[in-house]
Amino acid sequence: MAANLISPAVPPGDLGHRLQLRRGEQWLYRVKGDPYAAALCGHDDVAETYQRIREQGPLFQSRDGTWVTGRYDDAAALLAHDGVEWQPVAAPHRVFTFADLVPGGDWAAFERRAAPLLGTAAVRAATPRLAALCARACGATGSRFDLVTDVAERLPVQLLADLYALPPAQHERLARGVAESAAVLDSMVCPQRLEVSRQALAAVADLRQLFDEVAGGGRHAFLQPFLAVAGARLAAGLIARSVHLLVDDPHLHRRVAADVTAADEVVTRALRRDAPVRLLPGTAVADLERAGTRVPAGSDLVLVLAAANLDPDSAGTPLLPAGPYRLLLPIARELAGAAVSALAAAHPALSSDGPVVTAARAPVTQRLLRCPVRSGPV
């Protein structure tokens, strides 16, 4: 097993060197046939890479030391295991962890405070507000627009601006911060370029300052920048992937237009087929065993949820990300469902109007950058 080439050799302050070395390791392991490294590098056929990960067995160790599974039953068992904390820990090559997005870096305290405010009951109470927001935004789209830049990326920003009563003069600042921090979730497993990392660090700092200035320590102020960085990214991804299912599928489009409950089915299908969180990193907090394989406490684990949900042996119900993502899923699902319903109501049909473009170095989110569509018959 290869040793970590970064922490013993590189001074802590040399961020660019650390990122470059870690990325070089991933490419080296990919060339040597490691399918998890291939998923991180992103230059191979995605479906084939996920198949290779499943073929490695119930639980295998990548060359970088991470324990990995892409099988449905094994991923489900590990999600239910109380010996795993589903978020990455600080490391020399890791610019962000979720602790960097919460007050004082105390995730446990943050989770206790945030759970009631972000839970299903609270989100359901906000459903009319979300539906009205989506109806306004989707109704304003023209005959040609981009699902990503005109809908998926805008809706979470508009929701945050609305929830925090941001003055109009600050909306552009919020949108810029959300966009420039887009790589944060992916950076937790995949080193980003130095300029992208620096941009994200500056964006997170500015978002924190923005909400300190505007919210002024109000009841919900502590949720920032967690909502603006992780929440907006998860929601934008799920909106884009869900709405994209309507494109070039007039039958599904008509179903959603005729039956509002069908929007929830579309979002569930997106979670299974095109998950907004494809890799879920975690840490073993106790020794654990799965399928005869022992994983020592302190080990890094990754569930390749996208591979597991496409496993031919899956139960059909999508495996959903745990840890911090679990806090964000209720609002992301509700917003995505409202967007699906609003677009189906605003347009008689949606068809492709150009190639779909995805971001590089985005193995966690596979975030979409462009998805041009036009309104009208397929």
mmCIF file of all heavy atoms in Angstrom, residues 116-162:
data_model
loop_
_atom_site.group_PDB
_atom_site.id
_atom_site.type_symbol
_atom_site.label_atom_id
_atom_site.label_comp_id
_atom_site.label_asym_id
_atom_site.label_seq_id
_atom_site.Cartn_x
_atom_site.Cartn_y
_atom_site.Cartn_z
ATOM 1 N N PRO A 116 -33.576 20.929 14.025
ATOM 2 C CA PRO A 116 -34.993 21.317 14.054
ATOM 3 C C PRO A 116 -35.360 22.355 12.995
ATOM 4 O O PRO A 116 -36.499 22.382 12.516
ATOM 5 C CB PRO A 116 -35.171 21.893 15.468
ATOM 6 C CG PRO A 116 -34.009 21.409 16.253
ATOM 7 C CD PRO A 116 -32.885 21.270 15.286
ATOM 8 N N LEU A 117 -34.408 23.208 12.641
ATOM 9 C CA LEU A 117 -34.686 24.275 11.684
ATOM 10 C C LEU A 117 -34.680 23.795 10.243
ATOM 11 O O LEU A 117 -35.283 24.428 9.368
ATOM 12 C CB LEU A 117 -33.657 25.399 11.839
ATOM 13 C CG LEU A 117 -33.604 26.077 13.213
ATOM 14 C CD1 LEU A 117 -32.462 27.071 13.264
ATOM 15 C CD2 LEU A 117 -34.932 26.766 13.521
ATOM 16 N N LEU A 118 -33.985 22.675 9.975
ATOM 17 C CA LEU A 118 -33.851 22.179 8.608
ATOM 18 C C LEU A 118 -34.588 20.865 8.385
ATOM 19 O O LEU A 118 -34.505 20.280 7.308
ATOM 20 C CB LEU A 118 -32.360 21.990 8.268
ATOM 21 C CG LEU A 118 -31.495 23.253 8.331
ATOM 22 C CD1 LEU A 118 -30.032 22.897 8.070
ATOM 23 C CD2 LEU A 118 -31.970 24.288 7.327
ATOM 24 N N GLY A 119 -35.301 20.394 9.401
ATOM 25 C CA GLY A 119 -35.990 19.113 9.302
ATOM 26 C C GLY A 119 -37.213 19.158 8.392
ATOM 27 O O GLY A 119 -37.644 20.215 7.922
ATOM 28 N N THR A 120 -37.784 17.974 8.175
ATOM 29 C CA THR A 120 -38.908 17.839 7.248
ATOM 30 C C THR A 120 -40.095 18.704 7.655
ATOM 31 O O THR A 120 -40.741 19.336 6.810
ATOM 32 C CB THR A 120 -39.339 16.365 7.160
ATOM 33 O OG1 THR A 120 -38.224 15.581 6.729
ATOM 34 C CG2 THR A 120 -40.485 16.194 6.173
ATOM 35 N N ALA A 121 -40.404 18.751 8.954
ATOM 36 C CA ALA A 121 -41.567 19.530 9.402
ATOM 37 C C ALA A 121 -41.388 21.014 9.090
ATOM 38 O O ALA A 121 -42.314 21.678 8.600
ATOM 39 C CB ALA A 121 -41.778 19.320 10.901
ATOM 40 N N ALA A 122 -40.195 21.525 9.356
ATOM 41 C CA ALA A 122 -39.939 22.943 9.087
ATOM 42 C C ALA A 122 -39.998 23.240 7.597
ATOM 43 O O ALA A 122 -40.527 24.277 7.170
ATOM 44 C CB ALA A 122 -38.574 23.336 9.653
ATOM 45 N N VAL A 123 -39.468 22.325 6.796
ATOM 46 C CA VAL A 123 -39.479 22.527 5.346
ATOM 47 C C VAL A 123 -40.899 22.463 4.799
ATOM 48 O O VAL A 123 -41.288 23.264 3.943
ATOM 49 C CB VAL A 123 -38.564 21.489 4.665
ATOM 50 C CG1 VAL A 123 -38.740 21.531 3.152
ATOM 51 C CG2 VAL A 123 -37.115 21.751 5.040
ATOM 52 N N ARG A 124 -41.680 21.509 5.291
ATOM 53 C CA ARG A 124 -43.065 21.402 4.823
ATOM 54 C C ARG A 124 -43.841 22.680 5.109
ATOM 55 O O ARG A 124 -44.691 23.102 4.328
ATOM 56 C CB ARG A 124 -43.757 20.210 5.493
ATOM 57 C CG ARG A 124 -43.252 18.856 5.039
ATOM 58 C CD ARG A 124 -43.598 18.580 3.601
ATOM 59 N NE ARG A 124 -43.179 17.251 3.178
ATOM 60 C CZ ARG A 124 -43.188 16.824 1.930
ATOM 61 N NH1 ARG A 124 -43.596 17.642 0.961
ATOM 62 N NH2 ARG A 124 -42.791 15.615 1.620
ATOM 63 N N ALA A 125 -43.549 23.296 6.241
ATOM 64 C CA ALA A 125 -44.238 24.546 6.581
ATOM 65 C C ALA A 125 -43.889 25.656 5.595
ATOM 66 O O ALA A 125 -44.673 26.593 5.403
ATOM 67 C CB ALA A 125 -43.872 24.964 8.003
ATOM 68 N N ALA A 126 -42.719 25.530 4.967
ATOM 69 C CA ALA A 126 -42.276 26.565 4.018
ATOM 70 C C ALA A 126 -42.649 26.227 2.572
ATOM 71 O O ALA A 126 -42.296 26.980 1.664
ATOM 72 C CB ALA A 126 -40.769 26.744 4.123
ATOM 73 N N THR A 127 -43.373 25.131 2.351
ATOM 74 C CA THR A 127 -43.677 24.689 0.982
ATOM 75 C C THR A 127 -44.369 25.770 0.143
ATOM 76 O O THR A 127 -43.979 25.996 -1.008
ATOM 77 C CB THR A 127 -44.524 23.406 1.015
ATOM 78 O OG1 THR A 127 -43.747 22.352 1.592
ATOM 79 C CG2 THR A 127 -44.934 22.989 -0.390
ATOM 80 N N PRO A 128 -45.404 26.448 0.648
ATOM 81 C CA PRO A 128 -46.040 27.488 -0.187
ATOM 82 C C PRO A 128 -45.052 28.582 -0.607
ATOM 83 O O PRO A 128 -45.111 29.073 -1.736
ATOM 84 C CB PRO A 128 -47.148 28.039 0.719
ATOM 85 C CG PRO A 128 -47.434 26.938 1.689
ATOM 86 C CD PRO A 128 -46.112 26.279 1.931
ATOM 87 N N ARG A 129 -44.166 28.929 0.288
ATOM 88 C CA ARG A 129 -43.168 29.958 -0.012
ATOM 89 C C ARG A 129 -42.230 29.480 -1.122
ATOM 90 O O ARG A 129 -41.903 30.232 -2.045
ATOM 91 C CB ARG A 129 -42.381 30.253 1.270
ATOM 92 C CG ARG A 129 -41.452 31.440 1.223
ATOM 93 C CD ARG A 129 -40.833 31.619 2.601
ATOM 94 N NE ARG A 129 -40.114 32.856 2.740
ATOM 95 C CZ ARG A 129 -39.572 33.265 3.887
ATOM 96 N NH1 ARG A 129 -39.705 32.518 4.973
ATOM 97 N NH2 ARG A 129 -38.915 34.415 3.947
ATOM 98 N N LEU A 130 -41.800 28.224 -1.035
ATOM 99 C CA LEU A 130 -40.909 27.672 -2.050
ATOM 100 C C LEU A 130 -41.614 27.571 -3.394
ATOM 101 O O LEU A 130 -41.031 27.871 -4.439
ATOM 102 C CB LEU A 130 -40.403 26.287 -1.620
ATOM 103 C CG LEU A 130 -39.592 26.211 -0.332
ATOM 104 C CD1 LEU A 130 -39.145 24.774 -0.076
ATOM 105 C CD2 LEU A 130 -38.392 27.134 -0.385
ATOM 106 N N ALA A 131 -42.871 27.136 -3.370
ATOM 107 C CA ALA A 131 -43.622 26.997 -4.613
ATOM 108 C C ALA A 131 -43.800 28.352 -5.301
ATOM 109 O O ALA A 131 -43.668 28.468 -6.526
ATOM 110 C CB ALA A 131 -44.982 26.357 -4.333
ATOM 111 N N ALA A 132 -44.089 29.385 -4.524
ATOM 112 C CA ALA A 132 -44.273 30.721 -5.103
ATOM 113 C C ALA A 132 -42.966 31.243 -5.696
ATOM 114 O O ALA A 132 -42.946 31.825 -6.790
ATOM 115 C CB ALA A 132 -44.785 31.680 -4.033
ATOM 116 N N LEU A 133 -41.858 31.014 -4.990
ATOM 117 C CA LEU A 133 -40.552 31.448 -5.486
ATOM 118 C C LEU A 133 -40.229 30.772 -6.817
ATOM 119 O O LEU A 133 -39.788 31.416 -7.771
ATOM 120 C CB LEU A 133 -39.486 31.128 -4.437
ATOM 121 C CG LEU A 133 -38.048 31.548 -4.711
ATOM 122 C CD1 LEU A 133 -37.333 31.856 -3.394
ATOM 123 C CD2 LEU A 133 -37.270 30.464 -5.448
ATOM 124 N N CYS A 134 -40.450 29.449 -6.881
ATOM 125 C CA CYS A 134 -40.150 28.700 -8.111
ATOM 126 C C CYS A 134 -41.079 29.100 -9.249
ATOM 127 O O CYS A 134 -40.654 29.189 -10.409
ATOM 128 C CB CYS A 134 -40.253 27.202 -7.851
ATOM 129 S SG CYS A 134 -38.929 26.550 -6.813
ATOM 130 N N ALA A 135 -42.342 29.355 -8.932
ATOM 131 C CA ALA A 135 -43.290 29.760 -9.976
ATOM 132 C C ALA A 135 -42.875 31.086 -10.599
ATOM 133 O O ALA A 135 -42.939 31.261 -11.823
ATOM 134 C CB ALA A 135 -44.700 29.854 -9.387
ATOM 135 N N ARG A 136 -42.431 32.029 -9.763
ATOM 136 C CA ARG A 136 -41.983 33.324 -10.284
ATOM 137 C C ARG A 136 -40.742 33.157 -11.163
ATOM 138 O O ARG A 136 -40.676 33.694 -12.278
ATOM 139 C CB ARG A 136 -41.667 34.282 -9.131
ATOM 140 C CG ARG A 136 -42.854 34.812 -8.380
ATOM 141 C CD ARG A 136 -42.474 36.013 -7.524
ATOM 142 N NE ARG A 136 -41.376 35.714 -6.599
ATOM 143 C CZ ARG A 136 -41.549 35.224 -5.376
ATOM 144 N NH1 ARG A 136 -42.776 34.971 -4.933
ATOM 145 N NH2 ARG A 136 -40.517 35.009 -4.587
ATOM 146 N N ALA A 137 -39.760 32.415 -10.662
ATOM 147 C CA ALA A 137 -38.499 32.277 -11.392
ATOM 148 C C ALA A 137 -38.677 31.489 -12.683
ATOM 149 O O ALA A 137 -38.170 31.875 -13.742
ATOM 150 C CB ALA A 137 -37.459 31.607 -10.502
ATOM 151 N N CYS A 138 -39.403 30.381 -12.613
ATOM 152 C CA CYS A 138 -39.571 29.531 -13.803
ATOM 153 C C CYS A 138 -40.517 30.176 -14.806
ATOM 154 O O CYS A 138 -40.373 29.977 -16.015
ATOM 155 C CB CYS A 138 -40.067 28.148 -13.386
ATOM 156 S SG CYS A 138 -38.875 27.225 -12.381
ATOM 157 N N GLY A 139 -41.480 30.925 -14.313
ATOM 158 C CA GLY A 139 -42.385 31.614 -15.217
ATOM 159 C C GLY A 139 -41.714 32.716 -16.006
ATOM 160 O O GLY A 139 -42.201 33.128 -17.064
ATOM 161 N N ALA A 140 -40.559 33.180 -15.513
ATOM 162 C CA ALA A 140 -39.845 34.264 -16.191
ATOM 163 C C ALA A 140 -38.860 33.756 -17.237
ATOM 164 O O ALA A 140 -38.256 34.560 -17.950
ATOM 165 C CB ALA A 140 -39.102 35.118 -15.164
ATOM 166 N N THR A 141 -38.692 32.441 -17.337
ATOM 167 C CA THR A 141 -37.782 31.906 -18.352
ATOM 168 C C THR A 141 -38.405 32.067 -19.732
ATOM 169 O O THR A 141 -39.623 31.919 -19.900
ATOM 170 C CB THR A 141 -37.480 30.424 -18.095
ATOM 171 O OG1 THR A 141 -38.715 29.706 -17.945
ATOM 172 C CG2 THR A 141 -36.654 30.246 -16.837
ATOM 173 N N GLY A 142 -37.593 32.356 -20.719
ATOM 174 C CA GLY A 142 -38.101 32.554 -22.072
ATOM 175 C C GLY A 142 -38.227 31.254 -22.831
ATOM 176 O O GLY A 142 -38.223 30.167 -22.248
ATOM 177 N N SER A 143 -38.304 31.368 -24.146
ATOM 178 C CA SER A 143 -38.449 30.168 -24.974
ATOM 179 C C SER A 143 -37.140 29.396 -25.074
ATOM 180 O O SER A 143 -37.136 28.209 -25.387
ATOM 181 C CB SER A 143 -38.931 30.548 -26.374
ATOM 182 O OG SER A 143 -38.007 31.429 -26.996
ATOM 183 N N ARG A 144 -36.032 30.065 -24.820
ATOM 184 C CA ARG A 144 -34.722 29.405 -24.759
ATOM 185 C C ARG A 144 -34.011 29.873 -23.496
ATOM 186 O O ARG A 144 -33.919 31.064 -23.227
ATOM 187 C CB ARG A 144 -33.878 29.747 -25.993
ATOM 188 C CG ARG A 144 -34.357 29.064 -27.248
ATOM 189 C CD ARG A 144 -33.388 29.283 -28.388
ATOM 190 N NE ARG A 144 -33.679 28.391 -29.494
ATOM 191 C CZ ARG A 144 -32.971 28.352 -30.623
ATOM 192 N NH1 ARG A 144 -31.915 29.167 -30.772
ATOM 193 N NH2 ARG A 144 -33.293 27.515 -31.591
ATOM 194 N N PHE A 145 -33.527 28.920 -22.723
ATOM 195 C CA PHE A 145 -32.850 29.270 -21.481
ATOM 196 C C PHE A 145 -31.939 28.112 -21.078
ATOM 197 O O PHE A 145 -31.902 27.062 -21.732
ATOM 198 C CB PHE A 145 -33.854 29.594 -20.373
ATOM 199 C CG PHE A 145 -34.796 28.462 -20.020
ATOM 200 C CD1 PHE A 145 -34.556 27.641 -18.926
ATOM 201 C CD2 PHE A 145 -35.948 28.227 -20.783
ATOM 202 C CE1 PHE A 145 -35.419 26.623 -18.601
ATOM 203 C CE2 PHE A 145 -36.827 27.203 -20.457
ATOM 204 C CZ PHE A 145 -36.555 26.392 -19.365
ATOM 205 N N ASP A 146 -31.200 28.320 -20.004
ATOM 206 C CA ASP A 146 -30.281 27.296 -19.517
ATOM 207 C C ASP A 146 -30.785 26.782 -18.178
ATOM 208 O O ASP A 146 -30.996 27.566 -17.246
ATOM 209 C CB ASP A 146 -28.868 27.875 -19.368
ATOM 210 C CG ASP A 146 -27.820 26.791 -19.182
ATOM 211 O OD1 ASP A 146 -27.869 26.110 -18.132
ATOM 212 O OD2 ASP A 146 -26.970 26.607 -20.076
ATOM 213 N N LEU A 147 -30.982 25.470 -18.078
ATOM 214 C CA LEU A 147 -31.493 24.888 -16.843
ATOM 215 C C LEU A 147 -30.580 25.153 -15.658
ATOM 216 O O LEU A 147 -31.045 25.253 -14.520
ATOM 217 C CB LEU A 147 -31.665 23.372 -16.998
ATOM 218 C CG LEU A 147 -32.832 22.855 -17.828
ATOM 219 C CD1 LEU A 147 -32.851 21.334 -17.799
ATOM 220 C CD2 LEU A 147 -34.149 23.403 -17.301
ATOM 221 N N VAL A 148 -29.291 25.262 -15.914
ATOM 222 C CA VAL A 148 -28.338 25.456 -14.826
ATOM 223 C C VAL A 148 -28.249 26.924 -14.424
ATOM 224 O O VAL A 148 -28.577 27.306 -13.301
ATOM 225 C CB VAL A 148 -26.947 24.922 -15.212
ATOM 226 C CG1 VAL A 148 -25.950 25.172 -14.090
ATOM 227 C CG2 VAL A 148 -27.019 23.431 -15.528
ATOM 228 N N THR A 149 -27.815 27.761 -15.346
ATOM 229 C CA THR A 149 -27.546 29.159 -14.995
ATOM 230 C C THR A 149 -28.822 29.973 -14.758
ATOM 231 O O THR A 149 -28.813 30.905 -13.949
ATOM 232 C CB THR A 149 -26.706 29.826 -16.090
ATOM 233 O OG1 THR A 149 -27.398 29.743 -17.345
ATOM 234 C CG2 THR A 149 -25.355 29.144 -16.228
ATOM 235 N N ASP A 150 -29.908 29.632 -15.441
ATOM 236 C CA ASP A 150 -31.144 30.416 -15.317
ATOM 237 C C ASP A 150 -32.118 29.867 -14.279
ATOM 238 O O ASP A 150 -33.043 30.585 -13.872
ATOM 239 C CB ASP A 150 -31.861 30.500 -16.672
ATOM 240 C CG ASP A 150 -31.062 31.259 -17.704
ATOM 241 O OD1 ASP A 150 -30.360 32.209 -17.314
ATOM 242 O OD2 ASP A 150 -31.107 30.899 -18.895
ATOM 243 N N VAL A 151 -31.932 28.614 -13.874
ATOM 244 C CA VAL A 151 -32.882 28.009 -12.938
ATOM 245 C C VAL A 151 -32.172 27.411 -11.719
ATOM 246 O O VAL A 151 -32.311 27.901 -10.592
ATOM 247 C CB VAL A 151 -33.743 26.932 -13.637
ATOM 248 C CG1 VAL A 151 -34.705 26.287 -12.628
ATOM 249 C CG2 VAL A 151 -34.528 27.536 -14.790
ATOM 250 N N ALA A 152 -31.401 26.345 -11.931
ATOM 251 C CA ALA A 152 -30.861 25.572 -10.811
ATOM 252 C C ALA A 152 -29.937 26.384 -9.912
ATOM 253 O O ALA A 152 -29.984 26.261 -8.680
ATOM 254 C CB ALA A 152 -30.130 24.337 -11.339
ATOM 255 N N GLU A 153 -29.076 27.203 -10.506
ATOM 256 C CA GLU A 153 -28.153 27.999 -9.693
ATOM 257 C C GLU A 153 -28.852 29.206 -9.063
ATOM 258 O O GLU A 153 -28.465 29.660 -7.980
ATOM 259 C CB GLU A 153 -26.973 28.476 -10.545
ATOM 260 C CG GLU A 153 -26.069 27.358 -11.033
ATOM 261 C CD GLU A 153 -25.242 26.736 -9.910
ATOM 262 O OE1 GLU A 153 -25.040 27.398 -8.877
ATOM 263 O OE2 GLU A 153 -24.804 25.584 -10.072
ATOM 264 N N ARG A 154 -29.872 29.714 -9.705
ATOM 265 C CA ARG A 154 -30.528 30.932 -9.208
ATOM 266 C C ARG A 154 -31.486 30.669 -8.056
ATOM 267 O O ARG A 154 -31.597 31.481 -7.134
ATOM 268 C CB ARG A 154 -31.286 31.614 -10.349
ATOM 269 C CG ARG A 154 -30.388 32.309 -11.349
ATOM 270 C CD ARG A 154 -31.198 33.138 -12.330
ATOM 271 N NE ARG A 154 -30.325 33.820 -13.288
ATOM 272 C CZ ARG A 154 -30.754 34.644 -14.214
ATOM 273 N NH1 ARG A 154 -32.055 34.902 -14.307
ATOM 274 N NH2 ARG A 154 -29.910 35.221 -15.046
ATOM 275 N N LEU A 155 -32.197 29.554 -8.098
ATOM 276 C CA LEU A 155 -33.240 29.333 -7.101
ATOM 277 C C LEU A 155 -32.694 29.274 -5.669
ATOM 278 O O LEU A 155 -33.263 29.922 -4.775
ATOM 279 C CB LEU A 155 -34.026 28.062 -7.430
ATOM 280 C CG LEU A 155 -35.003 28.180 -8.597
ATOM 281 C CD1 LEU A 155 -35.632 26.828 -8.913
ATOM 282 C CD2 LEU A 155 -36.091 29.210 -8.295
ATOM 283 N N PRO A 156 -31.616 28.530 -5.376
ATOM 284 C CA PRO A 156 -31.110 28.531 -3.993
ATOM 285 C C PRO A 156 -30.654 29.921 -3.540
ATOM 286 O O PRO A 156 -30.844 30.297 -2.377
ATOM 287 C CB PRO A 156 -29.930 27.550 -4.049
ATOM 288 C CG PRO A 156 -30.205 26.665 -5.223
ATOM 289 C CD PRO A 156 -30.878 27.561 -6.217
ATOM 290 N N VAL A 157 -30.068 30.680 -4.455
ATOM 291 C CA VAL A 157 -29.627 32.034 -4.115
ATOM 292 C C VAL A 157 -30.831 32.905 -3.793
ATOM 293 O O VAL A 157 -30.840 33.659 -2.802
ATOM 294 C CB VAL A 157 -28.793 32.637 -5.259
ATOM 295 C CG1 VAL A 157 -28.512 34.119 -5.009
ATOM 296 C CG2 VAL A 157 -27.482 31.879 -5.426
ATOM 297 N N GLN A 158 -31.870 32.808 -4.617
ATOM 298 C CA GLN A 158 -33.068 33.606 -4.368
ATOM 299 C C GLN A 158 -33.732 33.209 -3.051
ATOM 300 O O GLN A 158 -34.245 34.064 -2.317
ATOM 301 C CB GLN A 158 -34.046 33.441 -5.531
ATOM 302 C CG GLN A 158 -33.562 34.095 -6.817
ATOM 303 C CD GLN A 158 -34.494 33.846 -7.993
ATOM 304 O OE1 GLN A 158 -35.515 33.176 -7.868
ATOM 305 N NE2 GLN A 158 -34.139 34.391 -9.147
ATOM 306 N N LEU A 159 -33.705 31.907 -2.748
ATOM 307 C CA LEU A 159 -34.291 31.451 -1.487
ATOM 308 C C LEU A 159 -33.513 32.013 -0.293
ATOM 309 O O LEU A 159 -34.113 32.499 0.675
ATOM 310 C CB LEU A 159 -34.302 29.924 -1.438
ATOM 311 C CG LEU A 159 -34.810 29.306 -0.137
ATOM 312 C CD1 LEU A 159 -36.245 29.730 0.148
ATOM 313 C CD2 LEU A 159 -34.699 27.779 -0.186
ATOM 314 N N LEU A 160 -32.196 31.958 -0.354
ATOM 315 C CA LEU A 160 -31.386 32.493 0.733
ATOM 316 C C LEU A 160 -31.599 33.999 0.893
ATOM 317 O O LEU A 160 -31.725 34.507 2.017
ATOM 318 C CB LEU A 160 -29.904 32.207 0.468
ATOM 319 C CG LEU A 160 -29.452 30.762 0.682
ATOM 320 C CD1 LEU A 160 -28.053 30.551 0.113
ATOM 321 C CD2 LEU A 160 -29.477 30.415 2.168
ATOM 322 N N ALA A 161 -31.632 34.699 -0.228
ATOM 323 C CA ALA A 161 -31.865 36.147 -0.168
ATOM 324 C C ALA A 161 -33.218 36.451 0.460
ATOM 325 O O ALA A 161 -33.356 37.405 1.243
ATOM 326 C CB ALA A 161 -31.780 36.744 -1.568
ATOM 327 N N ASP A 162 -34.209 35.629 0.151
ATOM 328 C CA ASP A 162 -35.557 35.807 0.691
ATOM 329 C C ASP A 162 -35.596 35.479 2.183
ATOM 330 O O ASP A 162 -36.137 36.245 2.991
ATOM 331 C CB ASP A 162 -36.529 34.921 -0.084
ATOM 332 C CG ASP A 162 -37.970 35.125 0.343
ATOM 333 O OD1 ASP A 162 -38.372 36.279 0.516
ATOM 334 O OD2 ASP A 162 -38.693 34.116 0.508
#
